[in-house]
Amino acid sequence: MDHLDELEAQSIYILREAYHSFSNLCMPWSMGKDSNVLIWLSKKAFCGKIPYPVLHIDTTYEFPEMLDFRDWARKFYELDLIVKINEDARAGRGAYATPIGYETHDPVTVTHELKTVALQQILAERKFDALITGIRRDEDPTRAKERYFSPRNADFEWDYKDQPPEFWNQFTTAVDPGEHIRVQPLLDWTEVDIWRYIERENIPIPRMYFARRGEDGKFYRFRSLGCWPITKPVESTASTVSEIITELLVTKTSERAGRAQDHHERNAMQKLRAKGFL
Amino acid sequence: MTTNGSSPKLRIVIVGHVDHGKSTLIGRLFHDTNSLPEGKVEQIRKASEAEGMEFEYAFLLDALLEEQAQNITIDTTQLPFRTERREYVIIDAPGHKEFLKNMVTGAATADAAILLIDAHEGIQEQSKRHAYLLSLLGIRQIVVAVNKMDLVDFSRTVFEDVREAYTRFLGRLDITPQHFIPISAKHGLNITKPCPELGWYEGPAILEALEGLEIAAPPEGLPLRFVIQDVYRFDERRILAGRIEAGHLKVGDEIMFWPDGKKSRVKSIEEWNAPVPPTRASVGESVALTLEEQIFVERGQIGGHPEDGPAEGREIHASLFWLQNEPLPINVPFTLKLGTQSVEARLVEITRVLDSSTLEPLPGSPTLVHKNEVADVRIRARKPVAFDRHDRISETGRFVIVTGKRIGGGGIVREANYQSSLPVVASDNITWTDSPVTREERAEHFGHRGAVIWFTGLSGSGKSTLATGLEQLLHRKGLATFILDGDNLRHGLCANLGFSDEDRSENIRRAGEAAKLMAEAGLVVLCSLISPFRADRRRVRETCQRDGVLFAEVYVNAPISVCEARDPRGLYKKARAGEIKQFTGLSSPYETPEAPELELRTGEVTLEFCLGTLLEYTLDLTRLPSRPRG
């Protein structure tokens, strides 16, 4: 087995443990590269049938190309797709005095309301007891401390100071009412591993990851995808997966550098994640 | 550099006592191997200045606010970096005693460890405890880094003293470090290259030592262990999903599943999106199988080749470490998870508790395992468990203990009684008929569990007296009981047997089988037989335990002089007169039990004391797990 085989086998093991351990689990899906790898691994783990719903938290600031990809992938993978929008926040009704949006609010607030709160809403509505997420340790220092099975309390808080031990592939699988577990099968993968796996397996991903000529004549691509007002492309001529990998092996810029909400203030990611952001 | 395929990563855990410099060493390794994102050092420098602190390499890791406030690492951090040779993942495990569970979490996945010791402070409590845990976790490649050499003027004598003392300690754990390396992480000395300050040192610098380590590969040539995670029926296929934890299998192989021993052949290996379905799978792979026959298999079972399966039983001798605040008491049920098996179990004996910083057993007879302690224990599960000895197959030789909803500790299996997997049935045409009434239902009916209490000892030692006395007491308490007496059996079931060694063995076998059946029916069976041979008694014990029947051996111990003086049936007199040949204790040997559950010295203590002990033990043994004491 090579390293990718090992990563794949471990992720499949975790997905199967999650499916066994929880009666009502769900897989958030952003259509990003990691998310699509998770879909692929789920197809493998369950021999072609993904036995849990896939959840898209739609902020209403999605790139149109991503929505096209969503519709295509839904049919291709035969997904049981849930689309969730925090309608109250966008319309400025219910708990919201005014509509929430990038036009009027800072990125941390918008991310929290349109992603985290939307997630809380759907969890409460559907009573999911576990979420399968695509986060990786190498993305951010706060994610480096994660477990494969990571409990969240009813307020979505992550008690990273007192996490249960996790070793020998034995996981925390029991929750109290209102709690849920984040299951994180890609924790050990790096950004390069993800790309190498996409290349090896030929996994479909949105076109936006590949370089295109911008209005200034230079070439750009998206390295990480989020809401369009706060996600900027990076300069790059990489137009195939193999070129992206070559580029990654020499770059030292962090992956989420193009994501504004991370950099809005010092420790922004820390604060977002403590409040329940993936 | 190749872009398809992916290079393996060496996972290194860095452990040691708090403040011995782990985070600094990691910060240095990242900095000196040019592995930090652009601008990271500048960013941290500025942040340090803003808070009026001197820049430290440790800050590079301390991304969380609380950590910076407290200056201690609170959880496992995993960070990748790469050299020209290969990729690494550094696991920074906290040194503070409070966070031992995080250290275990981090270290359990490592290929190798760097044990860090402060040259100035020398070997501390965690230096020893961490080493002990590394040995339990099975990590064999260890580099010892003696840090802060700048604080001891780069003294070779100080370094050699630490090396000598620590080598001695590690030797007791069967750990032989690959290297002892003097360094100064703060000043970047001996990290990526040798330095003049430590010119007397001739070994490799840290990075060179790391480059020489191997990625821990699963050992080759082990027997198959296929751990079932689930059985899927999403379509017309019935798929066994699981992982191969050891060995390999191929389509057509006959596979037996433990516990239980049902078997079938592998019909196919299913794989989504595979151009050609695989016909073979090996250790480490997550696979999906279909079988030729539709036998009943379920999550938890371990598949193996029939001639080389795991051990199976309800008793596990293990070494365990405990990480949770609340101690682990004897005789209180918990959930034992081994592979994907999950069974109710309890400690029936704590053989010894070790102080993990000295490796000395704690005095007294412990009834609890406290946080951060390491203990040798005997565990009894409610139903049979399939397992391996840890030093044979580690993946199926280790387990965790869950109390409440959290993992409280882990352990490794020290002993496993491998038996021929084929059931001892003379004819192939005999099959076992399962009753629709389960053992648990019978136990609920009686209000207690069935058991075999086996009294062994010389003639006249007091076996029958104790068995009848105990039966009276149990009966009064409402337990369903029966006595199987050696002499009584010889009137019927064993009437055709004499007193040759062979016949004595057969006598015991029949008594054991009869007792087991009655215990399975729900009774507490008190067997009173001299049963002089260890092998015979062991066979009864194994027969019972293999089928999940509670068994306890009671050694009724009285010196032969006392027995002969009692001589309730005049047998000693007859034997001395030559009227009885092969009389145990006189003309035939009695092999004393090596590890009986109880030993009663009837020549030294009163009958009341013996009966009190027996009553308490039996009630405890047969109590339903759901029922409170008393």
Side-chain angles (χ1 to χ4, degrees):
Chain A
M1 289 175 90
D2 71 13
H3 182 58
L4 283 182
D5 293 331
E6 284 168 12
L7 289 172
E8 179 190 72
Q10 176 69 359
S11 298
I12 289 175
Y13 187 85
I14 290 165
L15 287 170
R16 288 170 173 172
E17 285 301 287
Y19 179 60
H20 167 81
S21 305
F22 303 103
S23 53
N24 195 15
L25 78 169
C26 162
M27 187 160 84
W29 176 51
S30 69
M31 283 107 58
K33 60 187 192 313
D34 307 272
S35 233
N36 288 315
V37 165
L38 262 189
I39 297 266
W40 195 263
L41 290 166
S42 299
K43 292 291 270 189
K44 286 204 173 193
F46 305 105
C47 299
K49 157 83 189 171
I50 301 181
Y52 33 76
V54 164
L55 168 69
H56 179 224
I57 300 289
D58 188 339
T59 61
T60 71
Y61 290 97
E62 308 293 331
F63 288 100
E65 280 184 272
M66 297 296 274
L67 295 177
D68 292 345
F69 182 84
R70 183 177 80 187
D71 293 338
W72 172 84
R74 173 189 202 160
K75 289 188 205 103
F76 180 73
Y77 291 115
E78 299 172 79
L79 302 177
D80 172 9
L81 177 69
I82 302 168
V83 175
K84 170 68 191 176
I85 297 173
N86 184 352
E87 306 271 7
D88 282 3
R90 289 297 287 133
R93 64 177 185 235
Y96 299 90
T98 57
I100 305 286
Y102 290 104
E103 300 79 0
T104 47
H105 291 77
D106 67 87
V108 171
T109 306
V110 181
T111 304
H112 177 70
E113 297 296 341
L114 298 188
K115 287 195 170 172
T116 309
V117 174
L119 186 63
Q120 282 167 338
Q121 290 170 348
I122 190 84
L123 242 76
E125 281 165 35
R126 300 281 296 250
K127 299 196 166 43
F128 293 123
D129 53 2
L131 293 179
I132 302 170
T133 84
I135 69 157
R136 306 189 321 267
R137 284 205 178 95
D138 74 331
E139 286 177 282
D140 181 273
T142 64
R143 289 179 174 175
K145 292 166 190 295
E146 278 284 7
R147 303 281 198 258
Y148 289 127
F149 283 57
S150 179
R152 294 292 189 278
N153 71 13
D155 296 325
F156 259 44
E157 285 161 348
W158 176 35
D159 189 2
Y160 53 83
K161 283 183 285 186
D162 187 23
Q163 299 197 64
E166 180 177 88
F167 51 95
W168 297 342
N169 278 324
Q170 300 290 355
F171 311 112
T172 303
T173 53
V175 291
D176 284 324
E179 287 183 335
H180 73 275
I181 300 267
R182 299 275 171 91
V183 179
Q184 324 197 108
L186 300 183
L187 217 47
D188 288 340
W189 297 55
T190 62
E191 189 183 7
V192 175
D193 292 329
I194 292 285
W195 283 111
R196 284 173 173 161
Y197 190 68
I198 287 171
E199 183 181 45
R200 184 182 93 172
E201 302 280 315
N202 202 12
I203 301 173
I205 51 165
R207 280 286 314 152
M208 299 170 69
Y209 282 111
F210 302 107
R212 282 182 286 196
R213 191 191 294 268
E215 286 167 8
D216 58 0
K218 293 179 184 168
F219 283 86
Y220 295 93
R221 72 177 196 89
F222 288 89
R223 197 167 157 200
S224 176
L225 287 168
C227 297
W228 60 259
I230 56 161
T231 307
K232 299 289 170 249
V234 294
E235 219 182 305
S236 163
T237 54
S239 61
T240 63
V241 175
S242 140
E243 285 171 13
I244 288 173
I245 293 167
T246 310
E247 180 185 282
L248 283 178
L249 291 175
V250 295
T251 186
K252 288 173 74 186
T253 324
S254 86
E255 178 180 0
R256 294 178 66 89
R259 301 285 283 271
Q261 77 269 33
D262 298 15
H263 313 290
H264 180 65
E265 57 182 308
R266 192 167 164 245
N267 299 312
M269 191 65 171
Q270 161 89 13
K271 287 178 182 165
L272 277 169
R273 297 209 73 222
K275 284 157 74 183
F277 184 65
L278 293 179
Chain B
M1 189 173 291
T2 150
T3 55
N4 42 27
S6 185
S7 59
K9 299 173 174 66
L10 185 86
R11 298 173 62 85
I12 307 159
V13 65
I14 304 193
V15 297
H17 201 71
V18 64
D19 280 341
H20 281 196
K22 290 178 299 298
S23 296
T24 307
L25 173 61
I26 297 169
R28 258 300 170 185
L29 270 174
F30 273 74
H31 180 262
D32 295 1
T33 55
N34 207 19
S35 303
L36 293 165
E38 251 160 52
K40 191 73 178 175
V41 177
E42 272 318 297
Q43 183 196 331
I44 304 271
R45 269 189 209 283
K46 277 190 199 139
S48 311
E49 270 170 35
E51 297 189 9
M53 295 167 82
E54 194 188 336
F55 171 78
E56 288 184 23
Y57 282 93
F59 292 168
L60 293 170
L61 300 178
D62 296 341
L64 295 182
L65 288 172
E66 279 82 351
E67 289 196 23
Q68 287 174 343
Q70 288 182 26
N71 268 326
I72 48 173
T73 312
I74 54 171
D75 203 321
T76 304
T77 301
Q78 304 207 2
L79 296 159
F81 79 101
R82 57 179 184 249
T83 63
E84 278 172 22
R85 176 162 182 234
R86 67 175 161 208
E87 295 179 37
Y88 290 87
V89 176
I90 294 276
I91 305 161
D92 174 36
H96 203 276
K97 184 175 168 179
E98 286 305 301
F99 305 128
L100 203 65
K101 65 185 164 80
N102 300 330
M103 179 271 175
V104 168
T105 298
T109 61
D111 300 300
I114 299 179
L115 266 164
L116 209 56
I117 292 187
D118 181 331
H120 194 58
E121 284 192 15
I123 299 163
Q124 297 291 314
E125 189 184 337
Q126 299 307 313
S127 321
K128 293 182 173 179
R129 184 172 279 125
H130 283 179
Y132 192 71
L133 283 167
L134 291 177
S135 79
L136 282 186
L137 292 169
I139 293 161
R140 290 278 161 237
Q141 301 187 90
I142 289 177
V143 171
V144 180
V146 182
N147 191 23
K148 306 195 189 179
M149 288 300 291
D150 51 307
L151 296 184
V152 296
D153 296 329
F154 304 102
S155 157
R156 182 172 194 167
T157 317
V158 171
F159 172 75
E160 293 295 346
D161 286 350
V162 171
R163 164 148 71 179
E164 195 184 318
Y166 207 38
T167 303
R168 212 179 310 126
F169 178 81
L170 294 176
R172 296 171 62 189
L173 302 171
D174 283 330
I175 291 177
T176 312
Q178 260 81 355
H179 304 282
F180 268 86
I181 308 176
I183 63 167
S184 164
K186 188 175 179 187
H187 299 288
L189 305 177
N190 235 357
I191 307 298
T192 50
K193 54 181 187 301
C195 65
E197 290 88 342
L198 295 161
W200 46 264
Y201 169 75
E202 290 174 349
I206 291 285
L207 196 64
E208 189 187 341
L210 295 184
E211 300 273 53
L213 299 174
E214 304 290 330
I215 292 170
E220 297 286 323
L222 290 176
L224 171 68
R225 295 292 181 266
F226 168 62
V227 170
I228 300 182
Q229 288 181 273
D230 229 324
V231 180
Y232 300 135
R233 292 179 200 83
F234 298 129
D235 46 34
E236 71 289 347
R237 294 170 297 177
R238 189 160 173 279
I239 289 171
L240 273 57
R243 180 148 71 179
I244 300 181
E245 300 289 5
H248 54 82
L249 60 77
K250 53 188 191 304
V251 171
D253 278 5
E254 181 168 63
I255 308 285
M256 189 176 251
F257 294 92
W258 284 267
D260 240 17
K262 295 204 173 60
K263 58 186 176 183
S264 179
R265 285 184 189 282
V266 178
K267 183 179 174 190
S268 68
I269 300 172
E270 301 287 314
E271 194 175 310
W272 175 74
N273 203 39
V276 183
T279 55
R280 196 190 140 87
S282 325
V283 57
E285 289 185 52
S286 287
V287 295
L289 309 179
T290 65
L291 300 176
E292 295 281 358
E293 288 98 344
Q294 299 298 304
I295 56 169
F296 178 76
V297 287
E298 60 184 339
R299 177 181 164 88
Q301 287 179 310
I302 299 176
H305 291 118
E307 66 288 354
D308 208 354
E312 179 181 322
R314 296 183 51 215
E315 275 217 2
I316 298 176
H317 292 254
S319 297
L320 66 81
F321 50 89
W322 192 243
L323 304 169
Q324 193 156 282
N325 286 330
E326 301 77 47
L328 179 68
I330 199 165
N331 276 328
V332 172
F334 53 74
T335 304
L336 179 124
K337 288 185 167 186
L338 189 154
T340 53
Q341 297 170 92
S342 178
V343 296
E344 187 187 302
R346 61 200 169 95
L347 300 185
V348 286
E349 189 187 342
I350 300 174
T351 320
R352 53 184 196 149
V353 174
L354 293 180
D355 179 336
S356 57
S357 62
T358 61
L359 294 192
E360 296 303 326
L362 296 178
S365 51
T367 54
L368 295 170
V369 185
H370 291 95
K371 182 176 180 177
N372 296 342
E373 283 179 346
V374 177
D376 292 338
V377 298
R378 202 151 53 84
I379 295 170
R380 191 172 293 149
R382 276 197 78 179
K383 56 181 195 179
V385 180
F387 57 88
D388 280 290
R389 222 173 47 231
H390 182 259
D391 61 5
R392 185 159 186 250
I393 304 180
S394 58
E395 278 68 21
T396 43
R398 59 199 186 189
F399 58 85
V400 298
I401 288 173
V402 177
T403 56
K405 290 175 176 167
R406 299 286 186 260
I407 292 172
I412 61 174
V413 179
R414 293 293 195 187
E415 290 173 28
N417 196 356
Y418 292 96
Q419 298 178 336
S420 159
S421 57
L422 305 169
V424 193
V425 175
S427 163
D428 281 347
N429 298 324
I430 298 173
T431 55
W432 192 259
T433 306
D434 283 325
S435 163
V437 183
T438 66
R439 179 167 300 139
E440 285 69 29
E441 287 164 345
R442 284 182 214 282
E444 277 300 328
H445 173 79
F446 283 111
H448 62 82
R449 303 164 70 188
V452 174
I453 313 284
W454 191 275
F455 294 84
T456 173
L458 295 171
S459 177
S461 59
K463 300 182 296 298
S464 298
T465 310
L466 290 175
T468 49
L470 176 62
E471 184 178 36
Q472 244 176 355
L473 294 172
L474 292 174
H475 186 73
R476 255 185 247 148
K477 288 208 168 270
L479 278 76
T481 55
F482 196 74
I483 290 183
L484 275 183
D485 184 279
D487 284 351
N488 297 357
L489 287 174
R490 284 181 177 277
H491 288 292
L493 182 62
C494 303
N496 61 331
L497 300 175
F499 290 88
S500 67
D501 285 358
E502 263 175 36
D503 279 5
R504 278 171 183 264
S505 286
E506 176 59 15
N507 184 43
I508 300 303
R509 192 191 71 79
R510 290 186 197 178
E513 291 288 347
K516 194 191 104 187
L517 284 173
M518 295 169 101
E520 286 187 302
L523 306 185
V524 178
V525 189
L526 312 176
C527 301
S528 161
L529 293 99
I530 297 171
S531 47
F533 302 123
R534 271 183 212 133
D536 294 337
R537 295 190 301 258
R538 191 186 321 128
R539 191 167 59 175
V540 175
R541 174 189 292 272
E542 285 171 3
T543 304
C544 287
Q545 289 176 349
R546 192 177 56 227
D547 288 334
V549 172
L550 295 174
F551 177 90
E553 186 174 355
V554 179
Y555 176 27
V556 184
N557 183 4
I560 190 153
S561 54
V562 173
C563 297
E564 189 163 0
R566 289 175 182 161
D567 203 8
R569 297 175 216 178
L571 296 175
Y572 282 88
K573 208 174 279 172
K574 287 185 183 169
R576 291 283 184 200
E579 293 170 33
I580 304 175
K581 303 263 183 292
Q582 293 171 311
F583 190 80
T584 300
L586 296 181
S587 47
S588 177
Y590 177 81
E591 297 172 0
T592 55
E594 282 169 332
E597 275 73 9
L598 274 182
E599 178 175 349
L600 297 170
R601 294 174 178 270
T602 56
E604 296 168 20
V605 292
T606 64
L607 178 63
E608 284 67 34
F609 175 85
C610 292
L611 286 174
T613 308
L614 274 168
L615 180 67
E616 193 184 335
Y617 178 83
T618 310
L619 289 176
D620 198 41
L621 179 71
T622 57
R623 179 176 292 117
L624 289 176
S626 52
R627 306 250 166 138
R629 283 164 175 281

